Amino acid sequence: MAGRSYLFTSESVTEGHPDKMADQISDAMLDAILAKEARLEAEGYIAPNGVPASLADVRCACETFLTTGSVIVAGEIRTQAYVDVQKIVRDVVLRIGYDRAKYGFDGETCGVINMIHEQSPDIAQGVDGTFARADADDVERIGAGDQGMRFGYASDETDVLMPMPIHLAHRMAERLTAVRKDGTLWYLRPDGKTQVTVRYEDDEPVEVTAVVVSTQHAPEVESMEHIKRDMLEHVIAPVLDGVGIAWKDAKVFVNPTGRFVVGGPMGDTGLTGRKIVVDTYGGMGRHGGGAFSGKDCTKVDRSAAYAARWVAKNVVAAGLARRCEVQLAYAIGVTEPLSIMVDTFGTATVDERALERAVSSVFDLRPGAIIRDLDLRRPIYEKTAAYGHFGREDEDFTWEKTNRVDELRACFA
């Protein structure tokens, strides 16, 4: 709509936020299982029950709950690999930076309760191929781990094809952690949040109008004004100066309540999957299905959401649209997606119906094919669990690759 002006806000949280701690622990559990199972498979290990180790047989749905002094790990897992739950939990907590009692949480001394059990065979049969031909290959055999819909989104407003507000919020959260860990700001503690408001004109981001940074800090810090000056110099300006849009007139709020000493699991409980909008598009694109963290790649909550982002990003990178949202829907145990929707919000440079057909011909969106094409049976997931699953330049984030651009363009040649 010509002349349309609006504000859009997105938030991010640091790795020391209790919900993000839970996500990282759940994904560290998954990574440990995948790494150990891969070694056992390579060694030809066969369990006492006669079942050989196989990455393809791993099933993981791990949930973590944190509160003052305690971590509870629960969920349904199937694997031949033994992993040390206590060590994994403590290593993650210490790596995040909660390594002494005065921070309100200590990975060395916190209680760790293991309540993991085996996956239900009724759920497992949908993925294991009960409904497929006995002679089918893995791609044809693997059914979706559950029903539901998943979304992917991309926009040309940033170089990583993500919405500007969530992209900036993530980069500030990363920066906040970096200046804590490298000692630049000695008084910072692991818990923190960022928030960015962007003004759009005709759907183009033109100005940052507000920034919020809330950071846990040592009680002996000089003053809130001191923290604000440091946040402007070391966190906000280094991110916003390179964006290419105005921000100097933005309202800046740092620790608006005036004090943030008690944080992490002592200040609030943490739970896997409570930051799903932070994990995806900051509210700009829809989120379907459930959370990502702690789930292996047979769960389409995770793998199909990654595939939908892969599709949307390639559509935008190919110049076929400036914005693109993709929806995929599945039924448990069924290999083919029930529906594929492509919405370009009126920005497509080609016919949208033809674009949907092109997507269907270029991308194989069966769960087994997604796992194969994105190489998802690898221990890569803990690092996805903070600062966003999308819009990050990391070789392991295969769903961020724009490797189908030429094939998409060829559909319209």
Side-chain angles (χ1 to χ4, degrees), residues 15-16 21 24 90-101 103-107 177 180-181 188-191 216:
E15 61 198 54
M21 292 175 70
Q24 289 165 93
R90 296 188 191 284
D91 284 351
V92 172
V93 173
L94 293 171
R95 193 156 54 240
I96 288 168
Y98 285 108
D99 55 5
R100 58 200 71 185
Y103 291 175
F105 204 80
D106 183 358
T177 295
R180 169 177 63 87
K181 287 187 170 181
L188 295 184
R189 300 293 183 256
D191 198 355
Q216 186 185 11

Side-chain angles (χ1 to χ4, degrees), residues 211-267:
V211 175
V212 183
V213 178
S214 296
T215 180
Q216 186 185 11
H217 59 85
E220 60 268 32
V221 71
E222 181 182 327
S223 67
M224 289 303 110
E225 279 304 311
H226 177 80
I227 296 177
K228 184 173 182 177
R229 287 195 303 271
D230 282 345
M231 291 300 102
L232 279 165
E233 178 181 353
H234 297 288
V235 176
I236 298 170
V239 172
L240 296 187
D241 280 347
V243 174
I245 62 174
W247 73 273
K248 297 299 184 181
D249 293 329
K251 297 176 182 178
V252 176
F253 301 91
V254 174
N255 286 12
T257 63
R259 180 179 169 89
F260 187 1
V261 172
V262 179
M266 188 176 182

Side-chain angles (χ1 to χ4, degrees), residues 372-390:
R372 176 197 66 201
D373 293 342
L374 297 181
D375 194 14
L376 296 180
R377 286 196 173 106
R378 295 173 297 137
I380 59 171
Y381 296 106
E382 183 186 348
K383 62 183 173 182
T384 70
Y387 314 117
H389 292 247
F390 308 124

